[in-house]
Amino acid sequence: MSRAAWVAAIAALAAQIAGAEEAPADPVLAHPSKFIARNGGDLYRAICQGCHMADAKGARGAAAYPALASNPNLQSPLYPAVIVVNGLKAMPAFGDVLDDEQIAAVVNYVRGNFGNRYTDTVSAAEVNAVRPATDGEQSR
Amino acid sequence: MTIRRRDLLALAGLLGAGSVLGPTGAVRAGMTTPPYRGPMKLDGAPKKTSVLVLGAGLAGLTAAYELRNAGYQVQLLEYNNRIGGRSWTLRGGDVYTELGGEKQICEFAPGVYMNPGPWRISHTHKAILDYCKRFGVALEPFVQLNYAGYVHSRNVLGGKPQRYAHVAADFQGYLAEMMTAALSKGGLDQPLAPEHLALLKPMLASWGGLDGSGRYVTGASSSRLRGPESISFEDASITYSQLLKFADVLQLGEDAAMWRGANHPGLASFQTTLFQPVGGMDMIPKAFASRLPGVIRTNARVLSMTQDESRVTVTYEDVSRPGSSLQASANWCICTIPLSILGQLELRIGAPMKAAIDAISYSSETKIGLQFRRRFWEEDEGIFGGFSITDLPIRQIFYPSGGLNTPGPGLLYGAVLHRGPPTYEFTGMTPAERVRRAVEYGAQIHPQYHKEFQNGMAVAWHRNPYTMGCNAQWTPDLIRKHHANARAIDGRFVLAGEGVSGHGWQDGAIMSALEVVERLHRRIVAAVR
């Protein structure tokens, strides 16, 4: 092997090691089939803001996407947790694509931002408890 | 190289699996429409009976067209400022403002277009094909499978895109070789009769490109499937092509999900022949609309519906006069407004229909059209139509089936996303950011992007003001609970269209409209007698 080839091989190896250890700087679009973000803000940007918008103020067209900003329905953290798990009307369910910790993180993020000033949080265990029983009879 | 048996079985088992409840999944799950029986002929419509149709997509247009032919008085309300609904084409000069207020001004060159919604018609879609024939809408083949397209994974073969021809041939070849070896050892659980075994072996050899001793190796047989490396101009000698490693083929199948994606050409919905209208999908709704003079009112946003024993009355806003409140009234109403919208309107309907409407979510889908100075995919790489599939978040690149082998500029679809994380993530971005990312990712497959890119349009269906989602997500459980209630005539009000059709194709919307028109007509005629 020539010296240049050795250098290239070592550089490639170093890059591979660095790539393996480094979490992606931007978790959005980091994975083709999984939401890998763990942080509530990242999850909000990856999922919620598509409809509820970056400022969480929602939008109105033929019908409306409700504002999550300053939303009194968020008083109980279980209410948004249930909606994220099961979906509501036209909103798809996310219970199958997010784990309990991710759901807790995004619910807590929304309840602590956008003019919402709730200080209590929901835990992963509490999210788990609102999941429908997995007996194949998931009701919606 | 070691390949675990279950890897192989998993991959082989997925070849024909329609595991995703895609457009036809719901049909398989039990939602069926009657077969198309040719042009509709309805007799005996009572005089001065009126029907109000809501929504000027293909379902609403079909209903209005057939009811008018039958002698009913028809008016059609549409929220958008154009007809067609999701059957839609973007061209240069078009302006599209999505929810949230981001405005895109389309800069496509003359002749360049994008179908942000439905873009292909299956040969099994008899109703829409018949309307196209009767209305003179010219069709051309939509290329789905292209052996020249790429299969790409960042983790396989240094991220170098591999031709579908090579990946598919090598998958077949290695499978055929393993099968042949297993047969020779009597390794099948259910042994074949000797005479059938004698038939199977040559079939496998031919299908898999095996040599005379049942091996899949570099040589004349494998190169017959995957193409030779080169043929000498001087002495016509052939250099046979090198095979991919089976492990790499399997890893491509995992990463790029090439055998599993909803667009796999083996799935019944995407088998040859597929069609598209020449010049854009909206040729179809335009052909309907030209046959409905004075019937359609656009810019009409439906707010509420009430009904009594004799009439249905709809209140709507003329969106060119914000805050206005107008009314339209008729004896009957066929509503094709997406369920995603209906769930928020004030409707005087019974609890069962309301529950059905509220039970259905709408999918997220995103399409990004990119215009390039030249058709480099054709000129440099010999890809004429069809797709490349990748583990990048753009998932698929689709090459245009129209205008093949013409000079640029040309448009390809730089991302085609159905469900899954990337479509949500792209939806949350501004349109400019979506286009920028699609170019950045696509350049990993086609480096020409950097030099040739001109402009793009990005449509994320959850941000579409008129449908607020792509299509209705019925599941077998939801069908069992709600589908009959969604389809029942509630007083003088009935739903039609994609949302209740059972499949997300345009043909489903048309078939649903035809079924509802016929059912309503029978009801009306029976009541008069």
Side-chain angles (χ1 to χ4, degrees):
Chain A
M1 205 184 239
S2 73
R3 189 168 171 276
W6 272 110
V7 170
I10 289 165
L13 188 65
Q16 206 178 345
I17 291 165
E21 284 177 354
E22 214 173 89
D26 180 4
V28 170
L29 290 179
H31 197 281
S33 57
K34 269 190 242 163
F35 292 109
I36 63 161
R38 309 300 304 171
N39 169 289
D42 290 335
L43 285 163
Y44 184 86
R45 284 184 283 282
I47 302 173
C48 316
Q49 81 174 21
C51 294
H52 295 284
M53 302 295 153
D55 59 7
K57 288 187 176 159
R60 167 161 282 282
Y65 292 131
L68 301 178
S70 310
N71 186 331
N73 287 339
L74 300 176
Q75 187 153 14
S76 162
L78 292 180
Y79 180 72
V82 167
I83 292 175
V84 173
V85 168
N86 297 307
L88 182 68
K89 291 193 172 182
M91 174 178 157
F94 291 92
D96 291 343
V97 292
L98 297 177
D99 63 30
D100 297 338
E101 283 170 10
Q102 287 174 306
I103 293 171
V106 74
V107 166
N108 292 332
Y109 175 79
V110 170
R111 293 180 75 253
N113 288 281
F114 309 119
N116 302 308
R117 295 196 181 82
Y118 302 103
T119 49
D120 59 325
T121 57
V122 66
S123 69
E126 287 167 317
V127 170
N128 189 265
V130 305
R131 286 184 181 273
T134 51
D135 59 359
E137 267 310 290
Q138 296 201 3
S139 59
R140 252 203 73 193
Chain B
M1 177 184 71
T2 55
I3 292 160
R4 285 168 302 172
R5 187 165 167 274
R6 69 183 171 85
D7 293 339
L8 184 66
L9 292 177
L11 199 59
L14 287 161
L15 266 165
S19 58
V20 183
L21 194 74
T24 53
V27 175
R28 287 188 201 125
M31 290 165 79
T32 52
T33 42
Y36 181 63
R37 294 189 302 267
M40 180 166 264
K41 189 149 171 35
L42 304 175
D43 296 319
K47 285 204 170 70
K48 291 189 177 171
T49 302
S50 56
V51 184
L52 175 62
V53 180
L54 305 179
L58 284 185
L61 291 167
T62 301
Y65 174 78
E66 295 299 346
L67 288 164
R68 200 157 163 275
N69 278 355
Y72 291 96
Q73 296 173 356
V74 181
Q75 48 180 327
L76 199 170
L77 299 181
E78 166 58 48
Y79 170 36
N80 210 330
N81 61 9
R82 57 164 181 83
I83 51 92
R86 281 162 277 185
S87 186
W88 176 30
T89 301
L90 282 168
R91 300 182 182 82
D94 288 346
V95 177
Y96 172 55
T97 305
E98 66 177 32
L99 289 173
E102 286 283 347
K103 185 196 268 191
Q104 297 180 71
I105 298 166
C106 185
E107 296 173 14
F108 295 162
V112 171
Y113 72 86
M114 165 189 184
N115 294 325
W119 57 348
R120 52 194 164 195
I121 296 166
S122 162
H123 64 283
T124 63
H125 295 167
K126 291 181 179 167
I128 193 168
L129 285 172
D130 194 29
Y131 279 109
C132 287
K133 189 188 281 183
R134 283 148 64 195
F135 293 172
V137 176
L139 301 178
E140 63 191 348
F142 177 101
V143 180
Q144 174 75 20
L145 173 59
N146 186 341
Y147 281 78
Y150 293 121
V151 181
H152 169 253
S153 164
R154 284 166 286 187
N155 307 314
V156 180
L157 294 159
K160 186 174 182 294
Q162 303 298 315
R163 298 281 187 176
Y164 180 87
H166 297 160
V167 179
D170 292 350
F171 182 67
Q172 269 175 230
Y174 288 123
L175 269 191
E177 183 184 64
M178 291 178 84
M179 190 76 175
T180 302
L183 286 171
S184 306
K185 285 184 226 152
L188 284 185
D189 293 343
Q190 291 173 298
L192 282 171
E195 65 267 32
H196 293 146
L197 197 60
L199 297 177
L200 179 56
K201 279 190 169 172
M203 206 173 234
L204 279 173
S206 164
W207 179 72
L210 307 185
D211 69 8
S213 52
R215 300 275 296 158
Y216 187 65
V217 290
T218 292
S221 300
S222 58
S223 282
R224 203 166 51 80
L225 294 188
R226 68 199 313 291
E229 186 65 37
S230 62
I231 302 175
S232 161
F233 185 72
E234 278 76 29
D235 62 2
S237 66
I238 300 172
T239 306
Y240 299 118
S241 58
Q242 295 295 313
L243 312 182
L244 301 172
K245 293 195 178 92
F246 201 6
D248 289 333
V249 172
L250 293 174
Q251 195 60 46
L252 281 170
E254 172 65 21
D255 295 351
M258 66 171 177
W259 306 116
R260 292 182 288 184
N263 289 299
H264 187 271
L267 295 180
S269 306
F270 306 110
Q271 284 169 6
T272 305
T273 302
L274 294 155
F275 300 95
Q276 65 179 15
V278 176
M281 191 53 79
D282 66 356
M283 297 297 176
I284 299 175
K286 282 176 175 166
F288 272 100
S290 70
R291 288 159 176 80
L292 292 166
V295 171
I296 305 169
R297 177 168 190 148
T298 54
N299 291 311
R301 182 157 77 101
V302 171
L303 303 170
S304 64
M305 181 282 294
T306 183
Q307 55 172 327
D308 58 27
E309 298 75 37
S310 59
R311 296 191 79 76
V312 178
T313 302
V314 163
T315 302
Y316 65 96
E317 176 191 39
D318 175 351
V319 294
S320 62
R321 290 186 293 132
S324 59
S325 177
L326 292 86
Q327 291 197 322
S329 178
N331 299 118
W332 300 89
C333 178
I334 295 179
C335 175
T336 72
I337 296 173
L339 307 183
S340 50
I341 308 299
L342 273 184
Q344 293 187 29
L345 304 187
E346 254 180 74
L347 308 171
R348 185 166 296 174
I349 51 172
M353 182 185 274
K354 176 71 179 149
I357 292 168
D358 287 349
I360 306 303
S361 65
Y362 267 57
S363 65
S364 172
E365 318 253 339
T366 305
K367 258 194 206 161
I368 301 175
L370 306 174
Q371 182 184 302
F372 296 93
R373 274 180 199 89
R374 63 188 187 94
R375 292 170 168 252
F376 57 82
W377 53 94
E378 297 181 355
E379 294 171 2
D380 302 353
E381 294 162 278
I383 304 172
F384 294 85
F387 64 85
S388 289
I389 195 154
T390 170
D391 73 333
L392 291 164
I394 54 173
R395 309 313 305 271
Q396 315 176 74
I397 294 173
F398 260 86
Y399 309 94
S401 298
L404 295 173
N405 205 36
T406 56
L411 176 139
L412 58 67
Y413 294 83
V416 180
L417 304 166
H418 305 264
R419 306 175 188 85
T423 180
Y424 285 98
E425 292 162 333
F426 271 108
T427 302
M429 298 173 192
T430 63
E433 175 74 357
R434 290 175 208 144
V435 168
R436 189 187 69 74
R437 296 261 202 169
V439 170
E440 185 183 304
Y441 284 119
Q444 296 183 41
I445 294 172
H446 297 287
Q448 302 98 316
Y449 269 38
H450 292 302
K451 192 163 163 244
E452 310 292 352
F453 172 70
Q454 290 184 307
N455 59 69
M457 292 287 287
V459 174
W461 281 91
H462 266 143
R463 288 254 175 118
N464 180 284
Y466 313 97
T467 55
M468 300 180 71
C470 183
N471 60 18
Q473 298 298 289
W474 290 89
T475 64
D477 184 44
L478 290 169
I479 291 165
R480 192 166 48 74
K481 281 184 185 145
H482 295 295
H483 193 232
N485 295 333
R487 291 179 60 242
I489 300 174
D490 185 311
R492 296 178 162 268
F493 179 83
V494 62
L495 305 180
E498 181 277 318
V500 294
S501 72
H503 71 78
W505 295 93
Q506 295 178 108
D507 197 58
I510 290 177
M511 288 299 292
S512 166
L514 291 174
E515 189 274 330
V516 166
V517 165
E518 191 168 12
R519 185 151 46 97
L520 191 63
H521 175 73
R522 279 203 309 271
R523 165 83 66 96
I524 292 169
V525 170
V528 176
R529 277 186 191 134

